[in-house]
Amino acid sequence: MVLAGLGHRFPRQPFLFRGVTATLLPNRVYALVGPSGSGKSTLLALLAGWLEPTEGRVHRTGVSRVGWVFQNPHGVARRTALDHVVLPLLVQGLTRRRARDRAQALLVEFGLGDAADREFAALSGGEAQRLMLARGIAARPDLFLVDEPTAQLDARTAARVSSTLAGLARAGTVVVVATHDAQTRAACTDTLDLVTAGVEPRPASGASGA
């Protein structure tokens, strides 16, 4: 996936960013950083194809399935946590039994094994955020966009989430994580900085193994 000279502004507003140029590769986890108001969520929307850039182009070669986990999780209030993760697996053609087994394994991976039968409305903010991450991974996207995934999580759970995202990248997904959190940034393999408008690889010792 190639970003070529991306710039964006909304009508009658100054540019949020300009000249963003980068090649985003599978097996990498990119920390998308910049000060508040610099356009991180807007850039995610450009990557997803939800917005057209004011300047430049996004070349989505090899990207047919895009997953996006928003900062504020949204789910079906009366649907169980397990059902949220089962659905994308059924869409892929898994039998209901295999889908339930895979969904349960993903919930355990995100520390939600005991919450499988609880309705979405009964989950805490952190639990709901982890559920949306599990559902997003179940969909097997080519490009996975995550907005502030650890904002509602304690340090230990945040580290687990970062490790899981690294595992997804190793499976061939391009992962882009918008974050203000230093720990999350340090766990990524590369930094995409909206201030410098480019990608900086992290030192090998700072990567999460992606």
Side-chain angles (χ1 to χ4, degrees), residues 79 82-92 96 99 103 135 138:
R79 181 172 291 168
L82 184 66
D83 284 344
H84 275 83
V85 184
V86 164
L87 182 58
L89 296 167
L90 292 175
V91 170
Q92 295 169 43
R96 180 164 292 277
R135 184 178 69 172

Side-chain angles (χ1 to χ4, degrees), residues 1 26 44 47-50 60-69 87-94 135-146 168 171-176:
M1 186 172 190
L44 292 182
L47 297 181
W50 290 13
R60 296 182 186 83
T61 304
V63 174
S64 58
R65 299 185 304 276
V66 178
W68 191 347
V69 176
L87 182 58
L89 296 167
L90 292 175
V91 170
Q92 295 169 43
L94 273 68
R135 184 178 69 172
I137 288 174
R140 298 177 61 188
D142 304 306
L143 172 66
F144 196 36
L145 309 172
V146 190
L168 180 64
T173 297
V174 178
V175 180
V176 182

Side-chain angles (χ1 to χ4, degrees), residues 91-112:
V91 170
Q92 295 169 43
L94 273 68
T95 65
R96 180 164 292 277
R97 180 173 181 177
R98 289 186 61 197
R100 287 180 64 86
D101 288 345
R102 174 60 179 148
Q104 184 66 48
L106 278 170
L107 290 176
V108 170
E109 188 171 348
F110 279 96
L112 294 170

Side-chain angles (χ1 to χ4, degrees), residues 3-208:
L3 318 182
L6 284 187
H8 195 75
R9 66 178 177 184
F10 294 100
R12 297 180 295 279
Q13 297 294 323
F15 273 90
L16 290 168
F17 51 81
R18 303 185 80 174
V20 177
T21 297
T23 299
L24 306 183
L25 301 172
N27 307 319
R28 312 293 291 176
V29 182
Y30 297 88
L32 174 58
V33 302
S36 296
S38 62
K40 293 188 293 296
S41 295
T42 299
L43 182 58
L44 292 182
L46 296 178
L47 297 181
W50 290 13
L51 287 176
E52 288 296 320
T54 305
E55 298 178 340
R57 294 192 64 186
V58 179
H59 303 275
R60 296 182 186 83
T61 304
V63 174
S64 58
R65 299 185 304 276
V66 178
W68 191 347
V69 176
F70 299 98
Q71 182 174 358
N72 297 313
H74 299 281
V76 180
R78 298 303 179 189
R79 181 172 291 168
T80 67
L82 184 66
D83 284 344
H84 275 83
V85 184
V86 164
L87 182 58
L89 296 167
L90 292 175
V91 170
Q92 295 169 43
L94 273 68
T95 65
R96 180 164 292 277
R97 180 173 181 177
R98 289 186 61 197
R100 287 180 64 86
D101 288 345
R102 174 60 179 148
Q104 184 66 48
L106 278 170
L107 290 176
V108 170
E109 188 171 348
F110 279 96
L112 294 170
D114 294 337
D117 295 326
R118 285 163 54 193
E119 294 179 347
F120 183 84
L123 301 177
S124 69
E127 288 171 334
Q129 182 75 356
R130 283 180 279 151
L131 175 61
M132 294 300 100
L133 287 164
R135 184 178 69 172
I137 288 174
R140 298 177 61 188
D142 304 306
L143 172 66
F144 196 36
L145 309 172
V146 190
D147 198 352
E148 298 288 352
T150 59
Q152 303 184 62
L153 307 181
D154 59 73
R156 182 177 180 180
T157 305
R160 178 188 292 181
V161 167
S162 295
S163 176
T164 302
L165 291 175
L168 180 64
R170 286 194 295 270
T173 297
V174 178
V175 180
V176 182
V177 182
T179 185
H180 287 98
D181 181 64
Q183 180 182 0
T184 301
R185 178 174 179 172
C188 295
T189 60
D190 302 81
T191 299
L192 175 55
D193 193 329
L194 286 180
V195 174
T196 61
V199 168
E200 174 189 350
R202 295 284 301 170
S205 60
S208 56

